[in-house]
Amino acid sequence: MNKDTLYYDGDCPICSAEIAKLSHFSKDKLELRNIHELGEADADLDKTELLSRLHLKTADGNWITGLHANIRAWHHTPFRFIWRILDWPLINLVSHRCYDFWLRQRNRSR
C-alpha cells in the first residue's frame, strides 16, 4: 500500500520537533523522509528544491508544497479537523502569509 510521503529538513530543530509529533500521532500512516538522508534511489529528487519549502508526495504521485503539504500531513492524525481550519477562506489568507513569512526567516538563517 502506498502512503503519502513528507520530505522534511532534519537539520532544522523546529522542523524536527514537529516531525516527532507528527510521527507519534500519524501512527505509520505517513512516510517521513529526512532530506539529508536520501540515498541513491532518490537521485532524481532535487534536494535544494526540497529544502526550499515543505514537500509532500501523495500516494498517487502528486506533489503538494508549503502549508498545503503540512495540512495534508496532519490529515493522517486525529487532529486533522484542527489543521483544516488553516485552509478556510479568510483564515487561509493569514495562515499562508504566516507560513511564507516563517519560511523566508528560516531560509535567511541557512
Side-chain angles (χ1 to χ4, degrees), residues 21-64:
K21 291 175 192 156
L22 188 56
S23 176
H24 172 75
F25 291 116
S26 69
K27 304 205 184 296
D28 295 326
K29 296 176 187 171
L30 175 68
E31 184 175 348
L32 301 168
R33 304 284 310 274
N34 183 341
I35 298 164
H36 301 287
E37 296 176 357
L38 296 177
E40 292 293 319
D42 303 301
D44 60 326
L45 298 175
D46 181 349
K47 289 184 181 182
T48 303
E49 177 63 26
L50 291 175
L51 288 168
S52 70
R53 65 188 312 115
L54 198 60
H55 283 74
L56 182 140
K57 188 173 185 180
T58 64
D60 59 3
N62 294 315
W63 286 94
I64 301 171

Side-chain angles (χ1 to χ4, degrees), residues 59-105:
D60 59 3
N62 294 315
W63 286 94
I64 301 171
T65 63
L67 185 59
H68 287 119
N70 202 346
I71 293 169
R72 171 86 179 226
W74 280 94
H75 278 191
H76 296 283
T77 75
F79 304 106
R80 65 178 106 354
F81 65 93
I82 296 171
W83 287 85
R84 284 187 187 138
I85 293 170
L86 294 176
D87 226 8
W88 286 359
L90 298 180
I91 292 175
N92 73 7
L93 293 173
V94 175
S95 63
H96 287 269
R97 285 187 177 139
C98 288
Y99 176 82
D100 289 339
F101 175 78
W102 176 82
L103 191 61
R104 283 191 306 276
Q105 300 310 309

